[in-house]
Each structure stands twice: as structure tokens, then as C-alpha cells.
Amino acid sequence: MTSFISKLHTDLRLTRITHRGAPTDRSATPGMHKEYPRMERIALSAPVTGLPPLDEVLAKRHSSETTASPTALSLSDISTLTGHALGKHADSAHRNYPSGGALYPIETYIIASQLKDAGGGVYHYHPTEHALEKLWDLPPGFAMPELVPKPESPAASTIILFTSVWDRSSRKYGDFTYPLALQEAGHMSQNILLVATALGIAARPIAGFNDACAEKLLDIQDAEQPVLSIVLYRNA
């Protein structure tokens, strides 16, 4: 297994080398993201300011594992999480985290069993408008452990799902899109974890989610695939 990983790493690095100096594909447009114009759009308020200093947040950050009775996050929580961690710069296509070529292949979805002021459902984050797009309600009888079945996972009220839209970056980077996208999801995840800690929200990134369940919930296919989840909750 180790030799396979080593070969994969080498192949991907060599693929990247072959692209160095190549003309930029003009079809790879910086700053793109999905949007759902036919769905309800919920404008989010400005993110809360005056959060604790970074050194204090780093000292407190840890991945929580259990909770007996989680409570719902609010729209204000979501606004501050997404605004600080994933927000778009007002004067450019750039956002609050790095992305290869500023192509931003990673999309953000929020799965909430309950959400104060908005209700449960499946939401998409619109970074340009700093808004949630409500895609649809959760299926009848759906339970969060169907999506994140690990027994040590907390009983989440909200799960953030990051997906990668592969062709958004592959036009420019080819196979090197894969590690770039995973690195981007990691940058985004770290931002979310730090802002969550500052807000007193328990958070834990989990790669071992149910892929088939995620794809069905989001109604996505092969060109877009889930790559990381983050479980969020507040203690009662």
C-alpha cells in the first residue's frame, strides 16, 4: 500500500510538471461557484466580529466526540462560520482561503436536522451573496447517522459537506486537480474549525461519511463528488 501511495504521489507531481509554462486555459474562469436561482435564497447577516484572539482559539481547538443532546445552530452561527471561514473578498474573486488558480472547485453544502430561524433541510452556501440557498427538505425519517455512521461521531444537528467539481480545475491542472482540491478542502475545514471554536461550537472533521447517502442528499453525480464532512453541534 505504501508503494502505491508513493507512486501515486510521484505520478501526480510529474503531471503537474508537464503543465508548468503551459498557456492558461481560458475556459477555466477564476472565482466560479454553483448557484441555484430557482431555489429559496436566505440572505445571511454580517458575521459577528470581536471574536477571541487566534492564540486563544488555537489553544482551545479540539475535535469533540460525544454529546447527549445537541441543540440547533442559528442562522447567525452559520453566517459567522461561513462569512469568516469561506467568505468572498468584496473587491475581487478571491476568498478567505487559498485555491489553485483561484478556481475554487470546492462547493459548500449544509445539512441541518434543525436550524433556528430557517428549519431543517439541505442548503448550499452562495459565497458571492453570502446567502444560503435552500435546496429541499430532508427525506422523511432521515437521521444524521445515515450520513456520518461512525459510532464515535457526535450526535450532530448540522453537517457541512464539501464537494469537488472536478472539471472546474481540471481544464487547467489535469490530474493535479485531485491533490489541489483536497488541499483546498483542508484549508476550508481548518477555517471552519477555528471559527467554530471561537463561537463555542463543537466541530469535528470526518472523512468517513457515507458517499452514496451524501450524493443522494445533494443530487449530484460523478462530475461533482463529496470529499469531506464537518460535524457541528452546540451542547444543550
Side-chain angles (χ1 to χ4, degrees):
M1 178 59 72
T2 301
S3 61
F4 168 76
I5 295 172
S6 176
K7 183 180 185 304
L8 177 63
H9 176 76
T10 300
D11 289 347
L12 288 170
R13 296 298 301 176
L14 289 175
T15 298
R16 174 64 185 115
I17 289 172
T18 65
H19 281 264
R20 287 177 181 161
T24 299
D25 186 337
R26 294 186 182 279
S27 65
T29 305
M32 291 183 64
H33 59 79
K34 291 177 70 174
E35 60 180 345
Y36 295 82
R38 297 177 61 185
M39 301 304 185
E40 175 190 4
R41 186 172 293 176
I42 303 170
L44 295 172
S45 59
V48 170
T49 58
L51 298 178
L54 181 59
D55 58 347
E56 182 179 327
V57 172
L58 287 168
K60 289 183 177 179
R61 207 220 70 73
H62 70 282
S63 293
S64 302
E65 293 190 358
T66 59
T67 181
S69 53
T71 61
L73 271 62
S74 67
L75 281 181
S76 177
D77 292 331
I78 298 299
S79 171
T80 301
L81 279 169
T82 55
H84 286 310
L86 312 177
K88 179 181 175 295
H89 295 183
D91 56 352
S92 74
H94 292 91
R95 304 182 198 169
N96 294 351
Y97 55 91
S99 176
L103 296 176
Y104 300 104
I106 304 299
E107 295 283 342
T108 303
Y109 297 86
I110 295 169
I111 315 298
S113 59
Q114 48 184 335
L115 193 61
K116 292 178 182 177
D117 311 314
V122 179
Y123 298 86
H124 173 257
Y125 178 59
H126 192 298
T128 299
E129 298 295 332
H130 186 49
L132 292 183
E133 296 168 307
K134 182 168 184 179
L135 306 187
W136 36 74
D137 293 331
L138 291 171
F142 173 81
M144 289 299 206
E146 295 178 42
L147 180 58
V148 183
K150 294 174 72 67
E152 69 273 24
S153 301
S157 63
T158 303
I159 295 175
I160 291 178
L161 271 176
F162 292 138
T163 67
S164 182
V165 181
W166 301 116
D167 62 1
R168 193 174 295 162
S169 295
S170 63
R171 295 169 183 170
K172 179 175 183 179
Y173 292 112
D175 291 345
F176 198 58
T177 291
Y178 184 70
L180 286 179
L182 297 188
Q183 290 169 26
E184 181 174 324
H187 298 315
M188 298 167 71
S189 173
Q190 184 64 33
N191 283 2
I192 288 287
L193 298 178
L194 292 176
V195 178
T197 300
L199 293 173
I201 297 172
R204 183 184 180 194
I206 297 178
F209 54 84
N210 184 325
D211 290 70
C213 179
E215 290 166 0
K216 186 175 181 180
L217 275 177
L218 303 181
D219 191 25
I220 57 176
Q221 298 178 346
D222 290 347
E224 180 181 3
Q225 292 179 306
V227 294
L228 185 63
S229 69
I230 302 176
V231 170
L232 302 166
Y233 68 92
R234 283 190 181 277
N235 286 313

